[in-house]
Amino acid sequence: MKIVIATHNKDKFKELYHGLSSLNVDLVSLYDFPEIKEIVEDGETLKDNALIKARAVHKITSLPAISDDTGLEVDALAGAPGVFTARYAGENCSYLDNVNKMLKEMYNIPENKRGATFKTVMAYVDDNVELTSEGIVQGTVTRTKKGVAGFGYDPIFYVLEEKKTFSEMSIDDKNKISHRGLAIKNFKLLLNSYL
């Protein structure tokens, strides 16, 4: 059975592929379907956006599709950037642009007010069913970038229990506790019982 991982983001694909590789399926990427361009994510929630992507890719390929949408919700910023996490610093911005904007916005925020939540919602769509799962992790926004691994906001998202940012963890360690790792774990249970 072939399933398409519906993302053009190579870093996200790597984490999803790594996390889902134990499923007894053939995981393929959007790079196998050059006709699929960027999919507009205009949903109001992470779940909306995950379903938009999975539905679009399923419709074009006729294959089951898996997608995710991830949001960083920062307490001091009233839950922002949320659904705008990937484009927080504007359209076509880089990871670094987003991180730098976040550090600037949080510059005067005291330690006890720097709480943040990372959420991932995963979606699966085929001809018969739509499944979703969620993963959530609590942390804080650091004052400086720490670590070299990972991507996105990983250098500034600090997990208190681990005493590390995501960028200071290996992909295996990160996947055990991260929002995407937890969403994948919940998702595999759903998908296995469905398949």
Side-chain angles (χ1 to χ4, degrees):
M1 178 185 178
K2 262 188 190 175
I3 300 179
V4 186
I5 296 180
T7 182
H8 283 105
N9 180 319
K10 287 181 173 140
D11 295 311
K12 192 184 273 194
F13 177 81
K14 195 164 90 178
E15 280 193 3
L16 287 168
Y17 188 88
H18 187 82
L20 296 168
S21 59
S22 63
L23 290 171
N24 198 18
V25 296
D26 182 15
L27 297 167
V28 294
S29 89
L30 284 187
Y31 296 102
D32 298 315
F33 303 93
E35 70 277 16
I36 301 177
K37 305 301 176 211
E38 269 320 301
I39 296 160
V40 177
E41 298 172 43
D42 54 4
E44 290 182 17
T45 66
L46 299 174
K47 183 178 177 179
D48 292 343
N49 285 340
L51 283 165
I52 285 167
K53 285 183 280 193
R55 286 172 185 150
V57 170
H58 171 61
K59 188 175 177 185
I60 295 166
T61 64
S62 301
L63 292 169
I66 291 172
S67 69
D68 86 349
D69 198 33
T70 294
L72 177 63
E73 299 171 359
V74 180
D75 301 347
L77 303 177
V83 291
F84 302 104
T85 295
R87 50 195 185 279
Y88 184 48
E91 291 298 323
N92 304 314
C93 62
S94 69
Y95 295 147
L96 189 59
D97 295 335
N98 283 331
V99 166
N100 287 338
K101 180 175 180 183
M102 178 64 66
L103 290 174
K104 191 175 167 193
E105 297 278 324
M106 296 290 288
Y107 185 76
N108 290 318
I109 306 296
E111 297 310 318
N112 63 341
K113 302 261 196 270
R114 299 179 74 86
T117 304
F118 242 137
K119 285 184 186 170
T120 291
V121 177
M122 289 186 68
Y124 170 90
V125 174
D126 68 15
D127 289 334
N128 305 310
V129 76
E130 293 185 346
L131 304 170
T132 60
S133 72
E134 187 176 75
I136 298 174
V137 65
Q138 304 290 336
T140 62
V141 176
T142 58
R143 294 193 175 277
T144 57
K145 297 184 280 278
K146 296 175 182 172
V148 294
F151 64 98
Y153 296 84
D154 287 359
I156 60 169
F157 188 80
Y158 184 84
V159 183
L160 294 168
E161 297 78 34
E162 303 296 317
K163 298 185 172 48
K164 290 178 183 171
T165 66
F166 279 157
S167 281
E168 295 175 294
M169 299 178 195
S170 70
I171 190 168
D172 286 329
D173 288 343
K174 180 186 171 190
N175 272 351
K176 283 178 195 152
I177 60 144
S178 76
H179 46 295
R180 185 167 292 112
L182 296 171
I184 288 169
K185 190 176 167 188
N186 295 333
F187 181 75
K188 285 199 291 194
L189 295 172
L190 272 179
L191 198 59
N192 277 329
S193 63
Y194 167 65
L195 297 176

